[in-house]
Amino acid sequence: MGRIEWAMWANEQALAAGLILLAGGIVGVAGQFRGWEFASYAIAAGVFVCLLEYPRSKRAKGTSVERTGQYCFTVCVKAFGPVTRNYYVRAFLHAALCVPGGFMLATVLGCVCLGIASLIYLAAALRGEHWEPILPRKDTRKPVAESIKSPPQNPPPRPPPEIRRKQAKDVEGAAYDNPMSVTDDE
Amino acid sequence: MANWIINHGFPAVMVLVWMTINTFLFVWYYLQYDRDDDFYYTRHLLGSALAWARAPAAVLNFNCMLILLPVCRNLLSLIRGSFVCCSRTMRKQLDKNLSFHKLVAYMIALMTAVHTIAHLLNLEWLNNSKLGVYGKLSTALSDLEDEGNETFLNPLQHIEADPQQKPIKFAFTSIAGLTGVVITLSLILIITSSMEVIRRSYFEVFWYIHHLFIVFFVGLVFHGYGRIVRSQSNTDDHNATFCKDRPDDWGKIPECPIPQFAGGEPMTWKWVIGPMIIYVCERILRFIRYMQAVQYRKIVIHPSKVLELQLRKKGFNMEVGQYVFLNCPSISQLEWHPFTMTSAPEEDFFSVHIRSAGDWTDQLIDTMQKLPEGAQGPKMGVDGPFGTASEDVFDYEVSMLIGAGIGVTPFASIMKSIWYKFKECDPKLRTRKIYFYWLCRETHAFEWFADLLQVLEKEMEERNLGDFLTYKLFLTGWDQGHTDQVIVHFDEDTDVVTGLKQKTHYGRPNWDKEFDQVRKENPASVVGTFLCGPAALAKVLQKKCAKYSDVDPRKTKFYFNKENF
């Protein structure tokens, strides 16, 4: 498994864990379970993890595929600078976030999934990976040459009028082949 | 519309049948658990969450049975082979096995979510019943224990010091709970590592984590062994509608003996044991095939790091357009990777051209490069051949073959086969003329194909059959560098990019012009158009075929074949 960037899988796992934590929390609160306070915490933690993990990082090698509409999330996550860039921070953050989920059955699955995501992030951090925002590329156009800006002063060179007039008699030679159909019946 | 029915009708029907069975199972088991008298008392404790947990369980049983089948490629080959006479459409649909596997997986994930949430509610309400939170009847039912002449209904038997922890404790100490957590976790890990991003970039992670399905199936089979879904077994003696209001009189009056309960038998193994055995047979067959000796006839490293392997295996019979799976234990024990074959069936060996496209291929090319001259390569396991043969190509007098990018690979096999059949005047071959269109962004990694075209070009010139094959290469990714080169080498006979006699075109083909040319050169012929490339191009070609075809038998007819190589 030479070229794997563990962060890519950690990201998928953490996003899934966030959703599961959120779902478990909703069930706990809606069903008014014993320990529903932990469930309401799980809802908040789940939403936070989803927002943090939604923007995919730019890959070190290869093309990065964005998630739909992730640009605004990228900007928010980028604003926190080194805290969100560093995967050690993320690993410990997820480990800390997942602990309260372990006190109630409805949220325990989210807790374990987030714990696993935290371990994968730790592996990513140990391999020196970090989060890079995917930003839209600005295409640099080649600078326009000076000569284009001023229009030509003289008309283009033409053959003398005698040669030009001959074309009216030679209809066959004057016609040219259209590469695309110019008639209407398509 | 007719085209859609031919190409997509069968899978659409299969998906419809599958959804109908799922819906039927869900509704049937929901009603059973929601209406049956046996479950009256159980429903009193759990409400409709009981039915909401059991109905997805039935759907899960069905889908876990199905999920192993589409990945048994040898079994599918066997079925495909038995459809030899009729129904090429049937055979083609078996190639869409992976799409079905994914669809079934989504259903399993959805049903797992419903099942888990329903059981979370169940456990919470069972806990409350045991603690006497609900009415008299619930408490009475929960007090029944598995001793004396009583059988329990509520599986949460003892009251804990911290009632909030009771459901978690039960989940991790009961068979159903523990297996449930383990298999749900395996399912989640399998799904996150199967996301397209991970699968396409880091195949090894996907493949190795996917083997957690073994844990999944073992846990699934044992999931029901605790028999904790209880139903009343003495409904004849104890009528719930009458006795529910008299819990204090149970066992004291003749009409209401103490209600007895029994757990439901584990059913899952009956559903999944068949496919599990079939899958084990599939893996054994792959192992046997892997043990069969494969000799290297020739190993060639082409420019742009393309490896050609010419192999021989006893009893191996291929047809055009098929693919094989290769396994190289010195690189990775568990991985099998598919490659389309580039040799013709008429040759006494089979060949594959392997491009550098990831860890495994890179290591393979590396190993081959380090081999001394004339040595045999590392041990290689070959599974296959798989895929539907593209024999239709031979049935048309005139064929237009269009290959885009990597889609050109099956055409190597097809064109070689056509050429062999033509030389031997095979009566099955009706083709008199071939137009081959090769579209690619750059010829990097396809120089070997250009070599093949050169060889064919030379052989045809020798037999004065220069007209048999007309090919055009379209480089869609040209830049200033290309143009400069072309300008310099303008006068030369052969093309600067490929070395072929026919010059390279730049940009995408003008299909109107191409179809017009084919029509002019082949009046009163039936032309078969074959594409191996992107779906967008398929749509364009389909329209052109319709546009340039004429019902008049003196004029040309174009048939578009949507082949899935």
Side-chain angles (χ1 to χ4, degrees), chain A residues 135-141:
Chain A
L135 296 165
R137 268 191 328 172
K138 294 187 192 65
D139 290 314
T140 47
R141 291 179 183 277

Side-chain angles (χ1 to χ4, degrees), chain B residues 237-249:
Chain B
D237 305 323
H238 175 120
N239 184 325
T241 351
F242 176 73
C243 299
K244 65 177 163 64
D245 302 311
R246 302 170 171 71
D248 294 327
D249 294 333

Side-chain angles (χ1 to χ4, degrees), chain B residues 212-454:
Chain B
L212 279 173
F213 77 88
I214 301 173
V215 172
F216 181 85
F217 272 91
V218 169
L220 187 67
V221 166
F222 286 107
H223 189 56
Y225 268 72
R227 294 171 173 85
I228 56 174
V229 178
R230 317 280 290 178
S231 62
Q232 191 183 348
S233 46
N234 63 346
T235 40
D236 296 332
D237 305 323
H238 175 120
N239 184 325
T241 351
F242 176 73
C243 299
K244 65 177 163 64
D245 302 311
R246 302 170 171 71
D248 294 327
D249 294 333
W250 289 350
K252 298 181 187 133
I253 54 175
E255 296 92 346
C256 297
I258 296 179
Q260 301 296 326
F261 296 94
E265 287 297 313
M267 297 288 288
T268 308
W269 68 272
K270 294 181 195 166
W271 291 85
V272 299
I273 192 81
M276 278 168 80
I277 292 177
I278 293 177
Y279 188 76
V280 168
C281 290
E282 159 79 26
R283 290 300 281 252
I284 292 176
L285 188 55
R286 285 189 206 175
F287 182 73
I288 292 176
R289 285 231 175 128
Y290 156 81
M291 294 300 287
Q292 284 173 329
V294 173
Q295 285 103 21
Y296 289 81
R297 181 177 179 264
K298 206 160 147 196
I299 303 174
V300 185
I301 309 254
H302 291 276
S304 313
K305 282 187 93 168
V306 171
L307 172 69
E308 176 184 352
L309 294 174
Q310 294 183 3
L311 305 164
R312 271 208 196 94
K313 190 168 162 215
K314 223 171 70 163
F316 187 85
N317 288 315
M318 65 167 280
E319 292 171 47
V320 284
Q322 290 194 303
Y323 59 93
V324 288
F325 277 82
L326 296 182
N327 167 289
C328 190
S330 58
I331 300 175
S332 168
Q333 286 278 347
L334 280 186
E335 293 173 38
W336 290 80
H337 294 274
F339 296 97
T340 310
M341 285 186 282
T342 48
S343 56
E346 286 84 1
E347 293 168 319
D348 64 348
F349 60 90
F350 65 96
S351 71
V352 289
H353 283 70
I354 301 173
R355 272 191 327 162
S356 160
D359 276 356
W360 192 86
T361 37
D362 278 344
Q363 273 186 285
L364 186 70
I365 294 173
D366 226 17
T367 319
M368 297 298 178
Q369 273 176 327
K370 296 204 181 89
L371 280 179
E373 278 287 330
Q376 281 280 308
K379 162 125 182 72
M380 185 75 80
V382 175
D383 198 11
F386 300 108
T388 358
S390 340
E391 288 147 345
D392 285 350
V393 180
F394 307 129
D395 290 339
Y396 292 92
E397 300 168 17
V398 182
S399 289
M400 283 174 78
L401 308 176
I402 298 138
I406 189 71
V408 89
T409 324
F411 288 118
S413 170
I414 290 174
M415 296 222 287
K416 275 197 232 181
S417 187
I418 290 182
W419 183 239
Y420 278 114
K421 288 191 165 58
F422 194 78
K423 280 196 286 187
E424 290 154 29
C425 300
D426 189 331
K428 268 204 311 198
L429 179 74
R430 293 171 60 186
T431 317
R432 306 178 280 102
K433 184 132 183 54
I434 305 180
Y435 293 87
F436 181 62
Y437 301 89
W438 182 12
L439 284 66
C440 55
R441 250 184 293 195
E442 37 168 31
T443 49
H444 182 77
F446 293 115
E447 291 91 349
W448 63 271
F449 195 76
D451 286 342
L452 167 66
L453 287 181
Q454 256 184 335

Side-chain angles (χ1 to χ4, degrees), chain B residues 77-260:
Chain B
S77 259
L78 204 67
I79 298 179
R80 196 186 289 118
S82 61
F83 277 124
V84 143
C85 56
C86 52
S87 273
R88 267 205 79 224
T89 350
M90 285 283 278
R91 286 189 286 155
K92 276 200 281 188
Q93 306 324 329
L94 290 167
D95 288 337
K96 299 200 172 79
N97 50 351
L98 282 181
S99 314
F100 189 63
H101 179 82
K102 284 186 230 174
L103 193 60
V104 173
Y106 286 134
M107 181 59 88
I108 289 180
L110 177 66
M111 288 293 126
T112 304
V114 178
H115 180 82
T116 310
I117 292 177
H119 273 317
L120 283 175
L121 294 168
N122 284 340
L123 274 183
E124 182 70 13
W125 292 337
L126 284 174
N127 196 20
N128 284 342
S129 290
K130 190 69 187 172
L131 292 166
V133 172
Y134 303 135
K136 201 162 167 205
L137 181 57
S138 299
T139 323
L141 286 169
S142 300
D143 280 340
L144 294 170
E145 297 195 8
D146 220 12
E147 54 180 20
N149 57 350
E150 282 180 357
T151 42
F152 73 91
L153 170 60
N154 187 333
L156 299 181
Q157 290 279 286
H158 310 287
I159 296 185
E160 292 285 319
D162 181 6
Q164 185 186 319
Q165 300 307 323
K166 179 68 183 171
I168 290 193
K169 197 147 178 257
F170 182 76
F172 283 94
T173 49
S174 62
I175 298 179
L178 193 58
T179 50
V181 171
V182 167
I183 65 183
T184 311
L185 202 58
S186 310
L187 185 66
I188 293 170
L189 286 171
I190 290 177
I191 291 179
T192 53
S193 63
S194 308
M195 299 263 83
E196 181 137 3
V197 170
I198 310 287
R199 209 172 67 232
R200 294 236 181 267
S201 322
Y202 317 115
F203 188 82
E204 293 85 359
V205 168
F206 155 70
W207 184 238
Y208 289 119
I209 303 286
H210 226 75
H211 280 80
L212 279 173
F213 77 88
I214 301 173
V215 172
F216 181 85
F217 272 91
V218 169
L220 187 67
V221 166
F222 286 107
H223 189 56
Y225 268 72
R227 294 171 173 85
I228 56 174
V229 178
R230 317 280 290 178
S231 62
Q232 191 183 348
S233 46
N234 63 346
T235 40
D236 296 332
D237 305 323
H238 175 120
N239 184 325
T241 351
F242 176 73
C243 299
K244 65 177 163 64
D245 302 311
R246 302 170 171 71
D248 294 327
D249 294 333
W250 289 350
K252 298 181 187 133
I253 54 175
E255 296 92 346
C256 297
I258 296 179
Q260 301 296 326

